Amino acid sequence: MGKLLVIILFCIFMAFQSLEALDYGDALNKSILFFEGQRSGKLPVNQRVTWRADSALSDGQPDNVNLIGGYYDAGDNVKFVWPMSFTTTLLSWAAIEYQNEISSVNQLGYLRSSIKWATDFILRAHTSPTILYTQVGDGNSDHSCWERPEDMDTARTLYKINSSSPGSEAAGEAAAALASAALVFKPIDSDYSSKLLSHAKSLFEFADQYRGSYQASCPFYCSYSGYQDELLWAAAWLYKATGENKYLTILKGEYENLWLQAQSLFIKVKEMDGSLVRPLAVCSGIYHTDIVEAQGLEQGAQLVALEGRSRQVWENMWSNSCLNLHLPSSGGARAMVHACYIISNQDWSQAVNEFSWDNKFAGAQALLASEYHNGKNDLGKFKNDVESFVCALMPGSSSQQIEPTPGGLLFTRDSSNIQYVTTAITVLFHYSKTLTQARVGSIQCGSTKFTVSQIRNFAKSQVDYILGNNPMKMSYMVGFGNKYPTQLHHRGSSLPSIKSKPEKIDCNGGFSYYNSDQPNPNVHIGAIVGGPDSSDQFSDKRSDYSHAEPTTYINAAFIGPVAALIGLNSN
C-alpha cells in the first residue's frame, strides 16, 4: 500500500510539473515579448527587451522619406515589408479572434503595441496611392556581415513598387495588414482605425489595378504562389473591416447566374463603338477565361463569346478600370464580361496544404468559410477548400498530404519548418471554432470523419510539441521551460549588447561570436526557431539557420493558437 501511494503521489507530481511546463499564458507573454527584440528605429521608454537599443535611424534618407521603425524579419538587419505585413495580419487576427483570452492574461495592450509598431511603419512606407516601399537594406550585403543592428553600416538600399513596377503580393498583403489592424483599433482609437482602413483600401486598389508579381526581395522572399492569394486574402479582410459588398463581390459575385448566362450565349457584337473596343484592349486583361475570345481590337471589330473553348485572351488580369466601361446596361455583352471577371476570381481559390508568407489561400478560405457558416451559402467553394486543407493535415485522413515526424510534428519542408506548423494550426483552431459556433460536429475527409474535438486536439498537440512535449524534451521557444535553444542564428542576440560593450563591432568583427560554441549572450525570450529536422533532431548550432533562426511570422502565427488554448483551459 505504501509503494502504491508513493507511485500515485509521484504521478500527481509529474502531472503538475507537466502543467507548469505548458503554461500557455506564459508562452503567450513570451511570444509577444519577442517582437520588442525585433524592433528597428527609436525604441520607446517602456521597451522591455533592454539588450536592444536604437538602430537604423536614417532609413529612407536616400529618397527623403521616413522609413524608420518596423521590424527586422528574422536574425538579420533587413526590413522586408511583405513578410512584415503578413506578420501584422496574423497578429491582428489573433487580437480580433481571441481578445478575451489574451486580455485574461493581461497581454492585449502589449499585443496592440506590437501591431502598431508595424502598422505605423507600413503607413509611412505607403507614400502615395501607387507607391509602397517594400524593403530597406540590401539582403546580400547584410548577410555577408555579422553585426548588431545598432552598429550596422551596410547599405540601407530602398526598394519600392509603383504603377510601372508593380508587386501585387506586397501591396495586397499590406492592405490585409492594415484592414485587419483597423478592426483591432476601432474600439479604442477610431481616428487611427479610419486612417488604417483608408490606406488599406488604397493599397488594395493599387494591388488589383496594377497587377504584377513581386520579385524584388528574391532570393530571400520570392513569390511562388502568385498574387491571386493575396488579393483574395486582402479582399476578405476588407470585407470584414467594412462590410462593403463590393469586396465580397470581388470574391464571389453573382457567380452561378452569370456563369449560366454567359455559357448559353453566342454573341457577336458588330461594329462596336471605339469607346468600348479600345478600353477593352488597354485594360489589364481577362486571364484564363473559359468562354471569351477577343478578335480585332480595332474600331468596328467583333467581340465573340465562344462556348466550350479555352483561350488566354490577354496576358494580364482585368484591372479595376475595366469595371467603369460603358457597357450595355443589359444583354449578353455585359453578362459575358462580368461573368469572366467573377469566374477568374472564384477560380483563384484552390485546395492547398500550406499557409505561409507566400501562400495565403488557406487563410482566405478560413475567413470566408466562416461567412459561409454565417449564412452566405454562395461561399461554399471556400468552405470546401478550407476543409481540404484540414484533411491534408490530419493524421489518418485518406487525403493526408503532410506527414508528421515520428514524434508527431507536421513536417512540410526542411527549412524553418515550424513556420508552416504555426500557420497551419492558426487555421485549424479558427475553423474548429467556426464549426463549433455553427453547431457542426465534424467534417468528412474521404472515408474518414473527424470531429471538431479531434481537429482541436491535433492542433493542441502541435503547440505542445513546440513547447517541449517532443522527443528532444526541449522547448523550441527561447526562455520557455528548462531546456531551449541557446545558439540562435540571430545577430543581435549572439553579439554582446551595445550597453555592455559600447565599442563598435564591424561587419567582420562579429564572426568570432558567430563561430563561437558558447550560448548567445542575450537571451531572446519568446523567439521560436525553425525547429527540428524530419527525424525530430535539433543540433542547436548558430550556423544552422534553417533550424536555429527565428522569424516574426513564426511567432505571430503562434499567438492565436496558444490564446485558443488559454480559452479552452479556462472552460
Side-chain angles (χ1 to χ4, degrees):
M1 181 66 182
K3 289 183 178 180
L4 179 61
L5 180 60
V6 169
I7 292 171
I8 292 172
L9 290 174
F10 177 76
C11 291
I12 293 172
F13 172 76
M14 290 304 295
F16 276 105
Q17 286 291 96
S18 176
L19 287 173
E20 183 181 359
L22 298 182
D23 182 341
Y24 298 126
D26 185 44
L28 178 67
N29 171 14
K30 289 172 176 172
S31 296
I32 296 170
L33 179 63
F34 161 77
F35 288 94
E36 296 192 21
Q38 296 298 117
R39 284 173 169 168
S40 178
K42 181 73 175 177
L43 301 185
V45 294
N46 61 351
Q47 170 82 6
R48 294 178 293 167
V49 178
T50 56
W51 50 266
R52 284 295 321 283
D54 299 344
S55 63
L57 298 181
S58 60
D59 279 359
Q61 278 189 359
D63 283 11
N64 197 29
V65 294
N66 178 4
L67 296 177
I68 300 169
Y71 290 113
Y72 303 118
D73 72 306
D76 53 23
N77 300 324
V78 184
K79 295 187 292 196
F80 296 97
V81 172
W82 183 22
M84 188 193 304
S85 297
F86 181 53
T87 292
T88 309
T89 311
L90 292 170
L91 291 173
S92 296
W93 193 0
I96 295 162
E97 184 148 344
Y98 302 107
Q99 178 177 333
N100 292 337
E101 292 86 345
I102 296 167
S103 294
S104 72
V105 288
N106 302 313
Q107 293 300 309
L108 186 60
Y110 292 120
L111 179 55
R112 286 171 173 163
S113 295
S114 297
I115 295 167
K116 192 172 186 296
W117 194 266
T119 54
D120 283 350
F121 177 81
I122 297 170
L123 290 174
R124 289 194 290 271
H126 185 217
T127 57
S128 81
T130 57
I131 294 178
L132 175 68
Y133 283 85
T134 55
Q135 184 177 325
V136 183
D138 177 73
N140 291 313
S141 62
D142 180 88
H143 285 199
S144 69
C145 294
W146 197 260
E147 56 187 346
R148 301 173 296 203
E150 294 83 0
D151 284 331
M152 86 179 128
D153 48 15
T154 51
R156 302 301 286 170
T157 310
L158 304 180
Y159 300 78
K160 65 183 177 183
I161 55 175
N162 54 37
S163 57
S164 60
S165 182
S168 296
E169 293 93 340
E173 186 59 63
L178 298 186
S180 57
L183 287 167
V184 174
F185 290 100
K186 187 174 182 178
I188 59 171
D189 190 339
S190 60
D191 290 342
Y192 188 63
S193 175
S194 296
K195 183 178 182 180
L196 293 171
L197 192 54
S198 176
H199 278 264
K201 291 177 178 180
S202 176
L203 281 161
F204 180 76
E205 291 172 5
F206 174 34
D208 194 37
Q209 184 170 353
Y210 299 96
R211 294 184 183 176
S213 188
Y214 180 69
Q215 301 295 342
S217 293
C218 263
F220 309 103
Y221 292 99
C222 305
S223 176
Y224 299 103
S225 66
Y227 52 72
Q228 292 92 338
D229 52 319
E230 275 85 6
L231 293 180
L232 285 175
W233 175 240
W237 278 112
L238 279 161
Y239 175 70
K240 290 180 72 69
T242 65
E244 295 177 14
N245 282 330
K246 68 178 182 179
Y247 295 110
L248 199 59
T249 300
I250 288 170
L251 298 165
K252 63 180 182 66
E254 296 176 358
Y255 173 74
E256 293 84 356
N257 290 338
L258 289 175
W259 169 246
L260 291 173
Q261 288 180 51
Q263 276 192 314
S264 66
L265 293 173
F266 185 83
I267 306 165
K268 291 188 177 181
V269 183
K270 297 183 178 179
E271 297 181 351
M272 280 186 169
D273 182 74
S275 64
L276 172 61
V277 175
R278 276 194 283 271
L280 278 171
V282 300
C283 280
S284 294
I286 305 172
Y287 184 63
H288 290 308
T289 65
D290 289 329
I291 57 172
V292 178
E293 179 183 34
Q295 295 178 333
L297 296 174
E298 298 295 330
Q299 187 170 357
Q302 298 177 349
L303 185 65
V304 184
L306 300 172
E307 290 184 294
R309 296 183 61 178
S310 177
R311 183 169 299 190
Q312 182 172 322
V313 186
W314 289 297
E315 192 64 31
N316 299 322
M317 303 297 288
W318 185 16
S319 73
N320 280 347
S321 61
C322 299
L323 298 176
N324 298 319
L325 292 174
H326 298 293
L327 294 172
S329 60
S330 62
R334 171 170 285 275
M336 177 191 69
V337 175
H338 277 201
C340 292
Y341 178 69
I342 301 303
I343 289 167
S344 65
N345 288 349
Q346 183 91 352
D347 286 349
W348 288 347
S349 183
Q350 55 191 261
V352 294
N353 59 27
E354 76 172 59
F355 176 37
S356 66
W357 56 262
D358 176 41
N359 193 323
K360 316 296 168 39
F361 281 123
Q365 292 156 4
L367 293 176
L368 295 168
S370 296
E371 298 296 333
Y372 168 83
H373 285 290
N374 284 333
K376 294 183 172 59
N377 294 329
D378 44 2
L379 294 177
K381 174 171 173 51
F382 299 102
K383 173 256 187 189
N384 293 337
D385 283 348
V386 77
E387 290 189 358
S388 293
F389 176 79
V390 175
C391 293
L393 305 180
M394 291 297 293
S397 167
S398 60
S399 53
Q400 183 182 5
Q401 298 177 31
I402 305 300
E403 294 292 332
T405 65
L409 182 70
L410 285 169
F411 199 84
T412 300
R413 60 180 59 92
D414 195 27
S415 179
S416 192
N417 178 66
I418 282 183
Q419 67 173 302
Y420 305 107
V421 179
T422 59
T423 50
I425 59 178
T426 292
V427 173
L428 293 182
F429 274 114
H430 169 84
Y431 197 56
S432 65
K433 183 178 180 181
T434 295
L435 293 173
T436 298
Q437 291 173 339
R439 300 182 183 277
V440 176
S442 63
I443 67 169
Q444 197 73 30
C445 296
S447 59
T448 309
K449 182 172 73 174
F450 291 100
T451 66
V452 171
S453 293
Q454 287 175 309
I455 296 169
R456 189 186 297 123
N457 287 339
F458 176 65
K460 177 183 179 296
S461 75
Q462 302 302 292
V463 173
D464 292 350
Y465 184 108
I466 292 169
L467 294 179
N469 187 8
N470 57 63
M472 295 289 290
K473 302 300 180 186
M474 70 179 296
S475 166
Y476 290 105
M477 175 187 285
V478 175
F480 187 88
N482 297 320
K483 182 182 178 184
Y484 47 80
T486 62
Q487 292 191 33
L488 244 61
H489 182 92
H490 190 278
R491 286 158 176 78
S493 172
S494 67
L495 294 162
S497 169
I498 197 168
K499 296 179 181 180
S500 63
K501 185 179 175 58
E503 299 83 11
K504 179 180 175 65
I505 302 174
D506 64 16
C507 173
N508 294 319
F511 281 105
S512 61
Y513 297 95
Y514 174 83
N515 293 319
S516 167
D517 60 0
Q518 295 300 304
N520 288 4
N522 307 307
V523 181
H524 199 349
I525 293 175
I528 303 175
V529 298
D533 63 19
S534 60
S535 300
D536 299 296
Q537 298 302 301
F538 182 77
S539 61
D540 197 10
K541 296 293 184 183
R542 194 174 295 111
S543 59
D544 186 7
Y545 60 86
S546 289
H547 303 102
E549 186 172 18
T551 71
T552 55
Y553 39 89
I554 293 178
N555 270 67
F558 190 70
I559 289 171
V562 79
L565 291 176
I566 291 171
L568 292 173
N569 278 1
S570 67
N571 291 333

